[in-house]
Amino acid sequence: MAAAKKILVIVESPSKAKTIGKFLGGHYKVIASVGHVRDLPKSKLGIDIENDFEPQYISIRGKGKLIKELKKEAGNASKVYLATDPDREGEAISWHLAFLLGIDITTPCRIVFNEITEKAVKTAIKNPRPVDLSLVDAQQARRVLDRLVGYQISPLLWRKIRRGLSAGRVQSAALKIICDRETVIKEFKPEEFWTITAEFEKDRNFTAKLTEYMGKKLNIENKQRNDEILEELKKGSYTVKSLEEKDRQRRAVAPFTTSSMQQDAANKLNFSTKKTMMIAQQLYEGIEIKGRGTIGLVSYIRTDSVRISDEARQAARNYIESNMGSQYYGGSIYKNKKKDVQDAHEAIRPSYADLSPEEIRDSLSNDQYKLYNLIWSRFMASQMAPAKYKAVNAVIENGDYIFKAVGSKLLFDGFMKVYSFSRDGEEDKWLPHMETGETLKAVNVEGQQSFTQPPARFTEASLVKDLEEKDIGRPSTYAPIVATLLDRKYISKEKKSLIPTELGFIVTDMMKQYFNEIVDAGFTAQMEENLDRIETEGVRWKSVIEDFYGNFKEELEIADKEIEKVEFEVELTGETCEKCGKPMAVKHGRFGAFIACTGYPQCKNTKPIVQSIDVKCPKCGKDIVARRSKKGRLFYGCSGYPDCTQSFWNKPINRKCPQCGSLLVEKKGKDTQYACSNSECSYRE
C-alpha cells in the first residue's frame, strides 16, 4: 500500500523550517528555499527597457539542485503551501516559487504568520489565501527601480572615478545626508556664551541657574558681561519668589518597530544595525529552549507598525498582574503616527509574553539574551502603568535677576521597573524645604564659559532615525545601507561616528550635480510613497517606473558626456617592483585596496595589502597575515608565501591545541569559540 502523500510547506530558511516542522507533525513536510530562487541576473541589467521595463528573471546560479529538489517534493505532495515572510519580499519569493513549481497563484496556496508559534502556524494553515499580486508588484517596482539606478550609474562611477564603486537610489541619498552633516560641522563657527549658577546653603545644598533678567531670557555672550552680572549679584540678596509643586507622569514608549529596535540596540547595547538584524532574525526563526524545544521567540522583525494584537495585550496583562501586581498594568494602545505605515503585521514583541529573559538565559548566547531582553522589556513596559513623580519648581530672585531650580522625586516606578530610557530614567533630585519669601544664603556663585557646538556626526542609530523621519528607505533597508557605505569606503566609522571619506564627498558631489533628484531626500520620500501606492491603491507598477525613467535617461547621457575622469593622487608604498624596478602604489579594485606596479599596463605585477595578526607561522616562524583570495574572501596565510604555503580560513590565535599542539582558530557562531586548526583533531572550546 502506497504511503499517503504529505502536505508540503515551503519557507525561506532551514532554521525556520526546523522550528515549524516540530509544530505540524508527520502529515506535513517543511523545507526551505534558502531565500530567493529567481532574481534578475547579476551579469547584466536584466530589464527590457524597450518592452515596458519587463524584468528578465532567471533561476539563481547555484540553486539548480535545490530547485530540482523543490520540484520533486512539490510533485509528491498532496498540497503545497508557500509560507515565506509576511511582507513584500516574502510575497515575491512565494510568487517566484509558484512560477517554478507550476502552482496556480489564484488558489489558496499562501499562508502567513506574524510569529513562529504553534498556534500562529496552525491558524495560518487553516486560513490560506492566494498570492497577493499588489504586494508582489510593489516589490517588483522597487527591485526594478533600484536595478535601473544601480546598474546604470555604477558603471559610470567605475569609468569616471574608480573601479568597484556603486550608487543606489536609497544608498546615495543616505550618503548625501552624511556628507551634508559633515559640511555643516566643518563650516561651523563656535560662539562664546556663559552660564551662571548659584549654590545655596540649606540642610541639603542645592544649585539654581540664572535664566532671566528684567523678565527676558538672559544670554551672556562674553566674560565682561559675566563679570558685570556677578558684581551686581553681590549687591543684592536671594529670595524665594515662588514655589510650584505638582504631580506628573511619564508614559512608556511604544513597542519596537524595526527602526526603533535598531536605534535602541545601538545606544544601549552598542550593536551595529547589521548585527541587530542578524540576531533578531535568529530570535524570530527559532532557538532551542531547554524544556520547550525549538521555538520562535519574537514576532516578525521587519515592521514599521506599533500595533499589537488583543491576544498579545492580554498575555502581557496576565504576566504583569501575576508577577508585579495589578497596580503596574496600564494597557496602553499605540497608534501609528504616519498614515502610510504598512500595518500588515504587528510591532516587534515576544512571541510568549510569559517567557522572561532570565528564564531562558541559559539557552541563549550572550548577544541573543541582550537583544531578547531589550525586546521583551520594551514590549512589557508598553503595557505597564506610567511612572509617577512629584516635581517642584523654585524661582529665586535677586533684584531683576531670576534663578530657577527644579527638583523631582519618584513616587511610583511603573513601567520603569522593567525598562529605562537611554539616560537611565530620572534620579531623585528633591529640593530641600523652602518657604515663599524666604531669604537664601548663596555659598558660591560662579560663571562658566562655554561655546556653541556643531551638530553631532551621525551614528548608525541617529542615521536610521533621520532616514525614517525623512521617509527614505524602509525597515529592511536600513542595515544594508550602512553596510554598503562602509564596504564601498564612502564612509568610515570612528567609535560610533560615521564620517564621510574623500571618496564619499567626490561621489556625492557628482551625484548632486548630475543626478540631483536621486540624492534629494524629498524626491526619495515621494518615490517611496509611489511604491507604497502600488500596494495600497493598485497603481500599475510599470507606470511608476516609466514616470521616473524618462528624465533619468537624459541625466545619464549628459553625465556620461560631461563628467571628466577623476585623477587621484598616487599613494606610493615606498617599495619597488621586483619585476621591473618601478615604484609600487596602492590601488583600489572590486575587492578593496591592493598594491600594484606604477608601470601598468606594461608591468602587471600586483600583490595584496597584508595585515599582521601577531601570530607566527607554525611551519616557518614568519608572521601570519590577513589576505584576500582572488574572489575577495578573507583568509590568513604565511607572509613567507610562496616558499611557505601555510594558510587558514579561520583566524588563528596565539594558543596551541592541548591535544595535538596545532594552532587554535576562532570559530564564529552564536558566540566566538575556539577550535583546533588540524582537521583531524576534534578539540573545541
Side-chain angles (χ1 to χ4, degrees):
M1 182 176 176
K5 290 187 174 182
K6 294 185 177 184
I7 297 173
L8 182 67
V9 179
I10 304 177
V11 298
E12 293 105 323
S13 75
S15 58
K16 189 175 174 183
K18 179 182 176 183
T19 307
I20 293 171
K22 292 185 177 182
F23 297 149
L24 295 179
H27 295 298
Y28 292 83
K29 184 167 187 178
V30 186
I31 59 176
S33 68
V34 195
H36 277 278
V37 288
R38 284 207 310 163
D39 198 3
L40 299 172
K42 285 187 175 181
S43 58
K44 60 179 181 179
L45 181 63
I47 299 167
D48 190 345
I49 296 173
E50 304 302 323
N51 184 25
D52 200 20
F53 302 98
E54 185 66 26
Q56 299 169 330
Y57 295 115
I58 61 169
S59 297
I60 294 176
R61 182 177 296 176
K63 286 203 168 183
K65 185 177 179 181
L66 174 62
I67 292 170
K68 186 177 179 180
E69 181 67 20
L70 289 170
K71 288 181 176 179
K72 178 184 175 182
E73 294 291 350
N76 292 333
S78 61
K79 177 72 179 177
V80 179
Y81 287 125
L82 306 171
T84 50
D85 285 344
D87 58 10
R88 294 172 184 171
E89 200 73 23
E91 204 73 19
I93 293 174
S94 283
W95 181 66
H96 287 301
L97 282 167
F99 175 85
L100 289 176
L101 303 180
I103 299 172
D104 184 353
I105 61 172
T106 64
T107 63
C109 59
R110 175 84 167 107
I111 62 172
V112 292
F113 35 84
N114 188 55
E115 56 189 345
I116 304 178
T117 63
E118 184 171 357
K119 182 178 180 180
V121 172
K122 287 185 174 179
T123 300
I125 289 282
K126 293 177 182 177
N127 298 280
R129 62 165 173 78
V131 172
D132 188 334
L133 284 178
S134 294
L135 288 171
V136 174
D137 286 348
Q139 190 275 342
Q140 283 198 96
R142 179 183 294 279
R143 187 80 180 94
V144 169
L145 185 64
D146 289 345
R147 175 59 69 102
L148 288 171
V149 172
Y151 268 54
Q152 295 191 84
I153 296 182
S154 296
L156 186 67
L157 298 179
W158 282 44
R159 294 194 301 272
K160 304 295 185 177
I161 300 178
R162 177 187 290 168
R163 287 179 60 83
L165 303 184
S166 70
R169 183 178 60 87
V170 180
Q171 164 196 321
S172 298
L175 177 59
K176 179 179 179 292
I177 288 172
I178 297 172
C179 288
D180 287 349
R181 173 65 59 88
E182 190 68 17
T183 299
V184 170
I185 292 170
K186 288 180 177 178
E187 295 177 352
F188 182 81
K189 295 180 180 179
E191 295 181 359
E192 180 184 9
F193 69 95
W194 288 71
T195 303
I196 293 177
T197 57
E199 181 184 356
F200 296 104
E201 185 177 65
K202 291 285 289 182
D203 54 320
R204 186 174 70 255
N205 285 15
F206 70 98
T207 59
K209 179 182 176 182
L210 178 60
T211 58
E212 295 179 19
Y213 175 64
M214 297 185 69
K216 294 182 180 180
K217 182 180 177 181
L218 181 63
N219 294 313
I220 308 172
E221 298 176 350
N222 52 52
K223 187 177 187 304
Q224 180 181 345
R225 180 60 182 138
N226 174 78
D227 293 344
E228 289 173 356
I229 294 173
L230 291 177
E231 286 299 318
E232 291 178 32
L233 290 171
K234 289 179 181 178
K235 300 172 184 176
S237 61
Y238 296 91
T239 305
V240 179
K241 182 179 182 182
S242 65
L243 293 165
E244 182 183 17
E245 192 172 299
K246 57 184 178 181
D247 294 327
R248 65 185 185 89
Q249 296 183 343
R250 167 173 282 170
R251 296 187 179 278
V253 287
F256 281 136
T257 62
T258 304
S259 167
S260 58
M261 177 181 69
Q262 291 175 345
Q263 293 173 51
D264 223 33
N267 290 328
K268 291 188 173 182
L269 307 179
N270 202 27
F271 284 4
S272 67
T273 52
K274 184 177 180 180
K275 180 176 181 177
T276 298
M277 295 309 293
M278 178 187 72
I279 297 168
Q281 187 74 26
Q282 295 167 3
L283 297 175
Y284 166 67
E285 291 184 347
I287 304 290
E288 182 76 30
I289 302 297
K290 294 174 183 177
R292 301 189 67 157
T294 303
I295 56 175
L297 292 175
V298 301
S299 60
Y300 192 54
I301 58 170
R302 294 176 181 85
T303 176
D304 51 6
S305 172
V306 296
R307 178 180 64 83
I308 57 173
S309 67
D310 291 340
E311 183 181 356
R313 292 180 68 242
Q314 185 60 48
R317 179 173 188 169
N318 293 342
Y319 183 90
I320 292 165
E321 291 184 344
S322 297
N323 291 273
M324 304 177 214
S326 58
Q327 72 274 23
Y328 278 94
Y329 178 67
S332 299
I333 297 176
Y334 297 88
K335 294 183 179 180
N336 298 309
K337 294 180 180 179
K338 297 180 182 178
K339 295 180 179 179
D340 60 344
V341 163
Q342 304 304 304
D343 202 32
H345 29 79
E346 301 177 53
I348 301 171
R349 59 168 177 79
S351 300
Y352 305 90
D354 61 337
L355 212 54
S356 70
E358 293 305 320
E359 185 178 341
I360 61 173
R361 185 166 192 166
D362 290 345
S363 298
L364 304 178
S365 72
N366 191 40
D367 287 341
Q368 287 172 343
Y369 165 76
K370 287 179 180 178
L371 188 60
Y372 180 70
N373 183 49
L374 202 63
I375 294 170
W376 185 91
S377 301
R378 174 93 165 213
F379 166 71
M380 203 59 67
S382 75
Q383 296 304 297
M384 292 175 68
K388 295 179 180 179
Y389 293 87
K390 178 75 74 175
V392 61
N393 294 320
V395 177
I396 300 164
E397 64 181 354
N398 183 329
D400 292 327
Y401 292 97
I402 296 295
F403 287 77
K404 289 185 179 180
V406 179
S408 64
K409 181 188 292 183
L410 182 65
L411 303 178
F412 174 63
D413 54 358
F415 76 90
M416 292 176 64
K417 189 178 185 70
V418 298
Y419 178 87
S420 65
F421 291 90
S422 58
R423 56 181 176 271
D424 296 325
E426 291 190 9
E427 298 176 349
D428 281 359
K429 295 181 180 178
W430 194 242
L431 297 178
H433 178 74
M434 290 179 279
E435 299 285 349
T436 302
E438 178 183 351
T439 300
L440 299 174
K441 179 182 178 181
V443 293
N444 186 37
V445 183
E446 61 181 3
Q448 182 175 1
Q449 182 188 40
S450 301
F451 293 89
T452 55
Q453 297 295 313
R457 288 190 171 109
F458 282 108
T459 62
E460 288 195 41
S462 61
L463 178 63
V464 166
K465 183 179 180 181
D466 198 67
L467 293 175
E468 184 182 40
E469 289 175 348
K470 290 183 168 69
D471 281 330
I472 297 175
R474 281 298 177 260
S476 60
T477 64
Y478 299 141
I481 286 170
V482 176
T484 300
L485 294 177
L486 287 166
D487 288 345
R488 295 289 182 268
K489 311 299 183 189
Y490 292 160
I491 63 174
S492 62
K493 192 173 181 180
E494 293 183 11
K495 295 184 178 179
K496 288 188 176 184
S497 297
L498 303 178
I499 305 172
T501 62
E502 179 189 8
L503 181 60
F505 274 113
I506 290 171
V507 171
T508 295
D509 289 344
M510 191 208 79
M511 293 292 293
K512 285 195 307 190
Q513 183 174 354
Y514 292 97
F515 303 99
N516 189 52
E517 279 190 340
I518 289 185
V519 295
D520 178 70
F523 176 82
T524 306
Q526 181 61 52
M527 184 56 68
E528 292 292 350
E529 185 177 326
N530 293 341
L531 294 172
D532 289 343
R533 289 175 58 226
I534 296 169
E535 175 189 342
T536 58
E537 301 176 20
V539 173
R540 181 174 171 270
W541 75 266
K542 290 183 178 179
S543 65
V544 173
I545 304 299
E546 185 179 359
D547 290 344
F548 164 80
Y549 192 72
N551 190 47
F552 176 64
K553 183 181 178 181
E554 292 180 8
E555 290 175 340
L556 272 172
E557 293 171 352
I558 293 171
D560 200 21
K561 291 178 183 177
E562 294 186 0
I563 298 175
E564 296 182 0
K565 173 73 175 174
V566 176
E567 297 294 341
F568 288 91
E569 184 178 345
V570 177
E571 186 181 345
L572 298 177
T573 65
E575 303 174 60
T576 55
C577 176
E578 58 268 28
K579 292 185 177 180
C580 71
K582 291 188 177 180
M584 300 290 281
V586 176
K587 299 289 184 180
H588 297 269
R590 182 179 180 185
F591 299 115
F594 62 96
I595 297 173
C597 180
T598 54
Y600 181 86
Q602 289 76 22
C603 179
K604 298 181 180 179
N605 184 26
T606 64
K607 55 185 179 180
I609 294 176
V610 296
Q611 179 183 0
S612 177
I613 59 171
D614 295 325
V615 176
K616 298 297 182 183
C617 175
K619 287 186 177 180
C620 69
K622 292 185 178 179
D623 287 339
I624 295 290
V625 294
R627 299 178 181 270
R628 290 198 178 273
S629 68
K630 290 182 178 179
K631 293 186 177 181
R633 184 178 173 186
L634 183 68
F635 73 99
Y636 303 88
C638 180
S639 58
Y641 180 84
D643 297 327
C644 179
T645 58
Q646 176 69 61
S647 64
F648 308 86
W649 284 117
N650 295 298
K651 185 179 180 180
I653 63 172
N654 264 324
R655 284 175 54 203
K656 291 185 177 181
C657 173
Q659 291 183 8
C660 71
S662 301
L663 282 178
L664 294 181
V665 295
E666 290 182 358
K667 291 280 189 179
K668 299 290 186 180
K670 287 184 178 180
D671 292 307
T672 299
Q673 297 179 324
Y674 300 100
C676 183
S677 59
N678 181 357
S679 60
E680 297 179 359
C681 178
S682 60
Y683 180 79
R684 182 184 288 264
E685 62 180 46

